[in-house]
Amino acid sequence: MSSQEAKSVTQFEICGKLWRASDGSLWTTLTTTVPSTIGPMAVSSTPRFPSDTLEWLTAGCLEPGYRVIVLSPTVSYCRTVACHGADVLAVHRDPDTAAKLNRIPGVVAVCGSPESLPLNPCTFDAVLIHQGFHELAPGLVLPEIARVLRPDRVLGVSWLVRDDTVPWVKRLAALLRTVDDHAMSGDYGTDSVQELASNKYFPDHEHISKRLWVSVDRDSLIAMASSLPAVQDLDSESRSELLAKVAALANDSAGTSGLRLPYKLECWRAWVDHNELTTPIRPDNNGLTITL
Protein backbone atom coordinates (compact mmCIF):
# COMPACT_ATOMS: atom_id res chain seq x y z
CA MET A 1 0.00 0.00 0.00
CA SER A 2 1.46 3.37 -0.96
CA SER A 3 1.05 6.51 1.16
CA GLN A 4 -1.32 7.86 -1.48
CA GLU A 5 -3.48 4.76 -1.21
CA ALA A 6 -3.56 4.66 2.60
CA LYS A 7 -6.93 5.66 3.99
CA SER A 8 -7.92 7.16 7.31
CA VAL A 9 -8.82 4.46 9.83
CA THR A 10 -11.53 5.28 12.38
CA GLN A 11 -12.42 1.80 13.61
CA PHE A 12 -11.44 -1.79 13.02
CA GLU A 13 -12.03 -5.21 14.53
CA ILE A 14 -9.54 -7.26 16.52
CA CYS A 15 -10.66 -10.78 17.34
CA GLY A 16 -14.29 -9.71 17.43
CA LYS A 17 -13.67 -6.48 19.37
CA LEU A 18 -13.97 -3.02 17.82
CA TRP A 19 -11.08 -0.62 18.26
CA ARG A 20 -12.49 2.90 17.90
CA ALA A 21 -10.35 5.91 17.09
CA SER A 22 -12.80 8.48 18.41
CA ASP A 23 -10.23 11.26 18.42
CA GLY A 24 -9.80 11.07 14.68
CA SER A 25 -8.00 8.67 12.39
CA LEU A 26 -5.62 6.41 14.27
CA TRP A 27 -3.07 6.44 11.49
CA THR A 28 -2.58 9.37 9.17
CA THR A 29 -0.32 7.22 7.00
CA LEU A 30 0.09 3.44 6.80
CA THR A 31 2.68 2.50 4.25
CA THR A 32 3.38 -1.05 5.36
CA THR A 33 0.93 -3.94 5.50
CA VAL A 34 1.48 -6.90 7.81
CA PRO A 35 0.98 -10.49 6.60
CA SER A 36 -1.95 -12.25 8.22
CA THR A 37 -0.26 -15.65 8.58
CA ILE A 38 2.95 -16.54 10.38
CA GLY A 39 4.71 -19.57 11.73
CA PRO A 40 4.85 -20.69 15.37
CA MET A 41 5.69 -17.99 17.91
CA ALA A 42 8.84 -18.15 19.99
CA VAL A 43 8.47 -18.77 23.71
CA SER A 44 10.62 -16.73 26.09
CA SER A 45 12.51 -18.46 28.91
CA THR A 46 12.84 -15.24 30.91
CA PRO A 47 10.49 -14.46 33.83
CA ARG A 48 6.94 -13.46 33.00
CA PHE A 49 6.51 -9.73 33.36
CA PRO A 50 4.60 -9.08 36.64
CA SER A 51 1.12 -7.66 36.16
CA ASP A 52 1.44 -5.24 39.05
CA THR A 53 4.62 -3.79 37.52
CA LEU A 54 2.87 -3.26 34.18
CA GLU A 55 0.08 -1.51 36.07
CA TRP A 56 2.69 0.75 37.66
CA LEU A 57 4.47 1.47 34.38
CA THR A 58 1.23 2.52 32.68
CA ALA A 59 -0.23 4.29 35.75
CA GLY A 60 -3.18 1.91 35.61
CA CYS A 61 -3.98 2.35 31.91
CA LEU A 62 -4.14 -1.36 31.04
CA GLU A 63 -7.84 -2.07 31.31
CA PRO A 64 -10.35 -2.12 28.42
CA GLY A 65 -10.97 1.36 27.10
CA TYR A 66 -7.36 2.48 27.30
CA ARG A 67 -4.91 2.59 24.42
CA VAL A 68 -1.28 1.58 24.79
CA ILE A 69 1.65 1.75 22.34
CA VAL A 70 4.41 -0.85 22.72
CA LEU A 71 7.62 0.04 20.87
CA SER A 72 9.93 -2.69 19.52
CA PRO A 73 8.48 -5.44 21.74
CA THR A 74 9.08 -9.16 21.82
CA VAL A 75 6.09 -11.40 21.16
CA SER A 76 5.93 -12.62 24.77
CA TYR A 77 6.08 -9.12 26.26
CA CYS A 78 3.44 -7.78 23.88
CA ARG A 79 1.14 -10.71 24.65
CA THR A 80 1.50 -10.01 28.38
CA VAL A 81 0.54 -6.36 27.88
CA ALA A 82 -2.44 -7.20 25.67
CA CYS A 83 -3.93 -9.79 28.02
CA HIS A 84 -4.99 -7.03 30.41
CA GLY A 85 -7.62 -5.77 27.97
CA ALA A 86 -6.30 -2.43 26.72
CA ASP A 87 -6.13 -1.85 22.97
CA VAL A 88 -2.48 -2.30 22.03
CA LEU A 89 -0.61 -0.89 19.05
CA ALA A 90 2.82 -2.48 18.53
CA VAL A 91 5.44 -0.74 16.38
CA HIS A 92 8.46 -2.75 15.22
CA ARG A 93 11.11 -2.12 12.56
CA ASP A 94 11.30 -5.78 11.52
CA PRO A 95 8.44 -6.91 9.24
CA ASP A 96 8.68 -10.56 10.32
CA THR A 97 8.39 -9.62 13.99
CA ALA A 98 5.55 -7.22 13.19
CA ALA A 99 3.74 -10.09 11.48
CA LYS A 100 4.04 -12.25 14.59
CA LEU A 101 2.87 -9.42 16.83
CA ASN A 102 -0.14 -8.87 14.60
CA ARG A 103 -1.38 -12.38 15.42
CA ILE A 104 -1.69 -11.64 19.15
CA PRO A 105 -5.33 -11.14 20.22
CA GLY A 106 -5.97 -7.50 21.06
CA VAL A 107 -2.92 -6.21 19.20
CA VAL A 108 -2.57 -4.27 15.96
CA ALA A 109 1.03 -4.27 14.80
CA VAL A 110 2.73 -2.17 12.14
CA CYS A 111 6.21 -2.19 10.72
CA GLY A 112 7.66 1.25 11.25
CA SER A 113 10.14 3.46 13.06
CA PRO A 114 9.54 4.37 16.72
CA GLU A 115 11.26 7.69 16.00
CA SER A 116 8.58 8.62 13.45
CA LEU A 117 5.16 7.47 14.62
CA PRO A 118 2.38 7.78 12.00
CA LEU A 119 -0.18 8.71 14.65
CA ASN A 120 -2.37 11.63 15.58
CA PRO A 121 -1.48 13.74 18.63
CA CYS A 122 -2.97 12.99 22.06
CA THR A 123 -4.46 9.61 21.14
CA PHE A 124 -2.80 7.16 23.55
CA ASP A 125 -2.76 6.66 27.31
CA ALA A 126 0.63 5.00 27.74
CA VAL A 127 3.75 4.07 25.80
CA LEU A 128 5.89 1.12 26.86
CA ILE A 129 9.49 0.26 25.93
CA HIS A 130 11.02 -2.90 27.38
CA GLN A 131 14.68 -3.84 26.82
CA GLY A 132 15.00 -1.40 23.92
CA PHE A 133 15.17 2.25 24.97
CA HIS A 134 18.97 2.30 24.59
CA GLU A 135 18.59 1.27 20.93
CA LEU A 136 16.46 4.30 20.06
CA ALA A 137 17.52 7.87 19.29
CA PRO A 138 16.27 9.80 22.34
CA GLY A 139 16.30 13.17 20.59
CA LEU A 140 13.83 11.81 18.03
CA VAL A 141 11.74 9.25 19.86
CA LEU A 142 10.96 11.24 23.03
CA PRO A 143 9.31 14.18 21.23
CA GLU A 144 7.28 11.68 19.17
CA ILE A 145 6.12 9.85 22.27
CA ALA A 146 5.24 13.13 23.97
CA ARG A 147 3.19 14.15 20.93
CA VAL A 148 1.04 11.00 20.77
CA LEU A 149 0.41 10.75 24.53
CA ARG A 150 -2.68 12.31 26.05
CA PRO A 151 -2.04 15.04 28.65
CA ASP A 152 -0.64 13.80 31.95
CA ARG A 153 -0.12 10.27 30.64
CA VAL A 154 3.02 8.18 30.98
CA LEU A 155 5.96 6.61 29.22
CA GLY A 156 7.12 3.38 30.88
CA VAL A 157 10.69 2.14 30.30
CA SER A 158 12.06 -1.10 31.70
CA TRP A 159 14.95 -3.55 31.57
CA LEU A 160 15.25 -7.08 32.88
CA VAL A 161 18.86 -7.65 33.94
CA ARG A 162 20.58 -10.54 35.68
CA ASP A 163 21.26 -9.97 39.38
CA ASP A 164 24.85 -11.01 40.02
CA THR A 165 24.79 -10.21 43.74
CA VAL A 166 23.63 -13.71 44.71
CA PRO A 167 26.64 -15.74 45.97
CA TRP A 168 26.27 -18.82 43.76
CA VAL A 169 25.92 -16.62 40.66
CA LYS A 170 29.11 -14.79 41.67
CA ARG A 171 30.93 -18.13 41.95
CA LEU A 172 29.64 -19.26 38.56
CA ALA A 173 30.76 -16.01 36.94
CA ALA A 174 34.21 -16.28 38.54
CA LEU A 175 34.56 -19.85 37.28
CA LEU A 176 33.60 -18.98 33.70
CA ARG A 177 35.87 -15.93 33.71
CA THR A 178 38.87 -18.22 34.15
CA VAL A 179 38.47 -18.91 30.42
CA ASP A 180 36.57 -15.79 29.29
CA ASP A 181 37.15 -12.43 30.97
CA HIS A 182 33.78 -11.15 29.73
CA ALA A 183 31.63 -14.15 30.66
CA MET A 184 28.31 -13.26 32.33
CA SER A 185 28.94 -9.55 31.92
CA GLY A 186 27.66 -6.92 29.56
CA ASP A 187 26.06 -3.53 29.13
CA TYR A 188 22.29 -3.88 29.41
CA GLY A 189 21.66 -0.30 28.30
CA THR A 190 20.12 0.97 31.53
CA ASP A 191 22.45 4.00 31.62
CA SER A 192 20.53 5.41 28.66
CA VAL A 193 17.62 6.18 30.99
CA GLN A 194 19.49 9.37 31.89
CA GLU A 195 18.33 10.70 28.53
CA LEU A 196 14.75 10.29 29.76
CA ALA A 197 15.45 11.68 33.23
CA SER A 198 16.88 14.89 31.76
CA ASN A 199 14.34 15.31 28.95
CA LYS A 200 12.18 18.45 29.00
CA TYR A 201 9.11 16.63 27.65
CA PHE A 202 9.12 14.28 30.67
CA PRO A 203 10.18 16.39 33.67
CA ASP A 204 8.67 14.13 36.35
CA HIS A 205 9.83 10.55 36.64
CA GLU A 206 9.84 7.69 39.15
CA HIS A 207 11.87 4.50 39.52
CA ILE A 208 11.25 1.09 41.08
CA SER A 209 13.29 -2.11 41.12
CA LYS A 210 11.94 -5.63 41.57
CA ARG A 211 13.73 -8.95 41.98
CA LEU A 212 12.46 -11.94 40.00
CA TRP A 213 13.58 -15.58 40.08
CA VAL A 214 13.72 -18.29 37.44
CA SER A 215 14.24 -21.94 38.33
CA VAL A 216 17.16 -23.59 36.53
CA ASP A 217 18.68 -27.06 36.74
CA ARG A 218 22.22 -28.37 36.53
CA ASP A 219 21.90 -29.44 32.89
CA SER A 220 20.75 -25.94 31.90
CA LEU A 221 23.80 -24.38 33.54
CA ILE A 222 26.13 -26.87 31.86
CA ALA A 223 24.50 -26.16 28.50
CA MET A 224 24.86 -22.41 29.06
CA ALA A 225 28.53 -22.77 29.98
CA SER A 226 29.29 -25.10 27.07
CA SER A 227 27.73 -22.65 24.62
CA LEU A 228 30.30 -19.95 25.37
CA PRO A 229 32.76 -19.59 22.46
CA ALA A 230 35.72 -19.55 24.84
CA VAL A 231 34.61 -22.87 26.33
CA GLN A 232 34.07 -24.40 22.90
CA ASP A 233 37.63 -23.37 21.96
CA LEU A 234 39.14 -25.38 24.84
CA ASP A 235 40.65 -28.77 24.19
CA SER A 236 38.46 -31.72 25.13
CA GLU A 237 40.13 -32.40 28.48
CA SER A 238 40.05 -28.76 29.65
CA ARG A 239 36.45 -28.36 28.54
CA SER A 240 35.35 -31.49 30.40
CA GLU A 241 37.16 -30.31 33.52
CA LEU A 242 35.48 -26.89 33.44
CA LEU A 243 32.00 -28.32 32.86
CA ALA A 244 32.53 -30.78 35.72
CA LYS A 245 33.25 -27.80 37.98
CA VAL A 246 30.03 -26.12 36.77
CA ALA A 247 28.11 -29.31 37.58
CA ALA A 248 29.69 -29.50 41.03
CA LEU A 249 28.85 -25.84 41.72
CA ALA A 250 25.23 -26.50 40.75
CA ASN A 251 25.04 -29.54 43.04
CA ASP A 252 26.57 -27.64 45.96
CA SER A 253 24.33 -24.58 45.50
CA ALA A 254 20.97 -26.18 44.79
CA GLY A 255 19.88 -26.90 48.33
CA THR A 256 16.40 -28.27 49.05
CA SER A 257 14.58 -25.78 46.80
CA GLY A 258 16.83 -26.17 43.75
CA LEU A 259 18.63 -23.45 41.85
CA ARG A 260 17.00 -20.14 41.09
CA LEU A 261 18.55 -17.61 38.75
CA PRO A 262 17.94 -14.05 39.99
CA TYR A 263 16.95 -11.10 37.84
CA LYS A 264 16.26 -7.45 38.57
CA LEU A 265 13.44 -5.65 36.80
CA GLU A 266 14.43 -1.98 36.60
CA CYS A 267 11.49 0.29 35.76
CA TRP A 268 11.01 3.99 35.17
CA ARG A 269 7.84 5.92 34.38
CA ALA A 270 7.75 9.54 33.27
CA TRP A 271 4.82 11.93 32.90
CA VAL A 272 4.45 13.93 29.71
CA ASP A 273 4.44 17.74 29.70
CA HIS A 274 2.91 19.15 26.50
CA ASN A 275 3.86 22.70 27.44
CA GLU A 276 7.40 21.96 26.30
CA LEU A 277 6.42 21.00 22.75
CA THR A 278 7.50 23.47 20.07
CA THR A 279 3.86 23.67 18.98
CA PRO A 280 1.76 23.12 22.14
CA ILE A 281 -1.22 20.79 21.79
CA ARG A 282 -4.41 21.49 23.75
CA PRO A 283 -7.19 18.90 23.44
CA ASP A 284 -10.74 20.12 23.99
CA ASN A 285 -14.24 18.74 23.53
CA ASN A 286 -14.28 19.60 19.83
CA GLY A 287 -10.95 18.03 18.98
CA LEU A 288 -7.34 19.16 19.06
CA THR A 289 -6.13 22.75 19.26
CA ILE A 290 -2.64 23.34 17.92
CA THR A 291 -1.19 26.75 18.68
CA LEU A 292 0.60 28.30 15.70
Side-chain angles (χ1 to χ4, degrees), residues 110-173:
V110 294
C111 183
S113 169
E115 291 91 350
S116 182
L117 298 172
L119 304 168
N120 280 352
C122 297
T123 49
F124 285 85
D125 300 293
V127 176
L128 294 172
I129 309 172
H130 180 55
Q131 302 290 97
F133 182 74
H134 57 287
E135 298 175 347
L136 304 176
L140 298 176
V141 74
L142 290 175
E144 278 292 270
I145 293 172
R147 182 181 63 81
V148 301
L149 278 173
R150 288 172 173 154
D152 301 318
R153 296 303 194 186
V154 294
L155 163 63
V157 175
S158 56
W159 283 271
L160 183 67
V161 302
R162 194 179 58 252
D163 183 356
D164 292 339
T165 62
V166 175
W168 79 263
V169 178
K170 284 184 176 181
R171 295 198 299 273
L172 177 62

Side-chain angles (χ1 to χ4, degrees), residues 29-225:
T29 305
L30 182 57
T31 57
T32 307
T33 57
V34 181
S36 59
T37 57
I38 58 169
M41 294 182 183
V43 177
S44 173
S45 60
T46 56
R48 182 177 177 84
F49 208 102
S51 294
D52 60 342
T53 306
L54 276 178
E55 290 278 355
W56 185 87
L57 283 166
T58 61
C61 296
L62 278 179
E63 299 176 355
Y66 290 108
R67 294 191 217 159
V68 178
I69 300 175
V70 188
L71 298 181
S72 306
T74 62
V75 170
S76 60
Y77 177 74
C78 195
R79 186 186 296 114
T80 300
V81 175
C83 75
H84 291 268
D87 293 319
V88 176
L89 173 67
V91 180
H92 205 289
R93 300 182 196 275
D94 177 58
D96 292 335
T97 303
K100 296 176 183 178
L101 294 168
N102 207 43
R103 289 289 303 275
I104 301 172
V107 175
V108 167
V110 294
C111 183
S113 169
E115 291 91 350
S116 182
L117 298 172
L119 304 168
N120 280 352
C122 297
T123 49
F124 285 85
D125 300 293
V127 176
L128 294 172
I129 309 172
H130 180 55
Q131 302 290 97
F133 182 74
H134 57 287
E135 298 175 347
L136 304 176
L140 298 176
V141 74
L142 290 175
E144 278 292 270
I145 293 172
R147 182 181 63 81
V148 301
L149 278 173
R150 288 172 173 154
D152 301 318
R153 296 303 194 186
V154 294
L155 163 63
V157 175
S158 56
W159 283 271
L160 183 67
V161 302
R162 194 179 58 252
D163 183 356
D164 292 339
T165 62
V166 175
W168 79 263
V169 178
K170 284 184 176 181
R171 295 198 299 273
L172 177 62
L175 176 58
L176 295 179
R177 287 171 190 165
T178 61
V179 296
D180 181 355
D181 291 339
H182 302 290
M184 296 183 67
S185 63
D187 181 7
Y188 294 101
T190 53
D191 289 346
S192 64
V193 79
Q194 295 304 318
E195 296 287 348
L196 173 60
S198 62
N199 190 269
K200 64 181 181 180
Y201 304 118
F202 296 92
D204 298 320
H205 58 276
E206 302 170 280
H207 170 250
I208 61 171
S209 181
K210 189 168 189 173
R211 177 175 278 181
L212 304 176
W213 300 86
V214 175
S215 296
V216 294
D217 57 26
R218 185 186 66 174
D219 291 343
S220 298
L221 287 184
I222 294 173
M224 182 273 291

